[in-house]
Amino acid sequence: MTPAGRTKARAAAVLAERVCAALHDTEPCGGELTLTGDIPVGLGMGSSTSDVIATVRAVADAWGVLLPSETIARIAVRAEGASDPLMHTSRPLLFAQREGRVLEVLGSALPPAVVVGCALAGGAPVDTLSLPALHHDDDLAAYEHLRRMLRRAVSAADSALLGRVSTASAGLRQRVLHHQEFPALTGIADSTGAVGVQIAHSGNVAGILFDPRTPGLRHRLRRCTRALDREGIAPTRTFTTFASHTSEEFPWTNTSRKPSAART
């Protein structure tokens, strides 16, 4: 397997091989796998799930099989222990990451937002498997409240409400991640007129969310980037949650990040 060290993708290849062989009523035969992609590892951007999904689809393609998303999700969870819902297209979902089940489809798309991305902790990777799993009844109640708010935000395309949900969720997750930059991040969001902040559930990638309809948006985005620099938080890229704006309107927008691809 190339590159070496992608143990989760390797496990997914073995599992997918077994599933596809069973569908053909034959024995697994093995093969060679090559993975390519430019998603940073360990920042909470779903790099391992991207690897796993690309692997499963490549193995299935080699067998001439089209596996449903539900099957890919089950394989991904077995290979990773917990998976992102990337196999279910780009719709906003509530997903049981350790079970591979879609609990709720929240809508067709997230509310429109422009995101100034950044990396916390100097962009250091996080060992997601070492993070503790917290179980608190008050957390469950808080997240259920946020779930109801998120439903409304998606239904009404309400960017401001999306920002409130995202900031509250990031704050709750601080009990596990303990980002020292969190107060600075929320302070920059408040001072530049952003609607909120987001932080990866299990990593150091973060962003400050703006409503694209906000007056003076270009100026606010530049102020935000400068403020991040002053705080020693490295800006990464500015992107949108929608496809209607062009690079001429947001000339610094970069949406070129490529998911993993695999071939067998």
Side-chain angles (χ1 to χ4, degrees), residues 1-3 6 9-10 12-13 16 32-38 47-62 258-264:
M1 178 176 177
T2 305
R6 302 294 178 90
R10 181 181 178 85
E32 296 183 4
L33 178 72
T34 300
L35 275 169
T36 59
D38 64 354
S47 61
S48 59
T49 297
S50 178
D51 284 353
V52 165
I53 292 173
T55 295
V56 173
R57 287 176 173 165
V59 171
D61 185 65
K258 298 177 182 177
S260 295
R263 65 178 186 274
T264 60

Side-chain angles (χ1 to χ4, degrees), residues 109-145:
L110 288 171
V114 178
V115 185
V116 178
C118 57
L120 307 180
V126 172
D127 180 6
T128 56
L129 296 180
S130 69
L131 293 175
L134 298 183
H135 302 283
H136 297 289
D137 290 342
D138 55 343
D139 279 358
L140 293 176
Y143 279 117
E144 180 55 37
H145 177 63

Side-chain angles (χ1 to χ4, degrees), residues 42-45 117-120 123-124 179 198-207 236:
L43 290 184
M45 297 181 70
C118 57
L120 307 180
H179 288 302
Q198 66 86 22
I199 299 177
H201 190 69
S202 58
N204 284 327
V205 68
T236 51

Side-chain angles (χ1 to χ4, degrees), residues 89-233:
T89 70
S90 59
R91 294 179 301 171
L93 304 170
L94 182 65
F95 187 70
Q97 293 178 308
R98 298 183 185 277
E99 299 175 17
R101 291 191 300 118
V102 175
L103 302 178
E104 181 180 353
V105 178
L106 296 166
S108 59
L110 288 171
V114 178
V115 185
V116 178
C118 57
L120 307 180
V126 172
D127 180 6
T128 56
L129 296 180
S130 69
L131 293 175
L134 298 183
H135 302 283
H136 297 289
D137 290 342
D138 55 343
D139 279 358
L140 293 176
Y143 279 117
E144 180 55 37
H145 177 63
L146 292 180
R147 180 180 177 182
R148 292 192 295 269
M149 292 175 62
L150 185 57
R151 285 195 196 106
R152 296 200 304 270
V154 172
S155 175
D158 189 332
S159 303
L161 186 54
L162 173 69
R164 288 170 54 197
V165 172
S166 181
T167 303
S169 178
L172 287 170
R173 192 60 178 165
Q174 283 301 104
R175 297 172 63 170
V176 172
L177 297 175
H178 307 296
H179 288 302
Q180 295 181 356
E181 304 97 330
F182 185 66
L185 202 66
T186 55
I188 292 170
D190 291 340
S191 66
T192 57
V195 295
V197 304
Q198 66 86 22
I199 299 177
H201 190 69
S202 58
N204 284 327
V205 68
I208 296 180
L209 313 179
F210 290 84
D211 187 331
R213 298 156 292 200
T214 302
L217 179 61
R218 285 172 177 267
H219 177 62
R220 294 177 188 274
L221 295 176
R222 293 190 184 97
R223 282 177 53 206
C224 178
T225 301
R226 290 195 296 267
L228 287 170
D229 278 327
R230 287 195 300 271
E231 291 289 344
I233 302 172

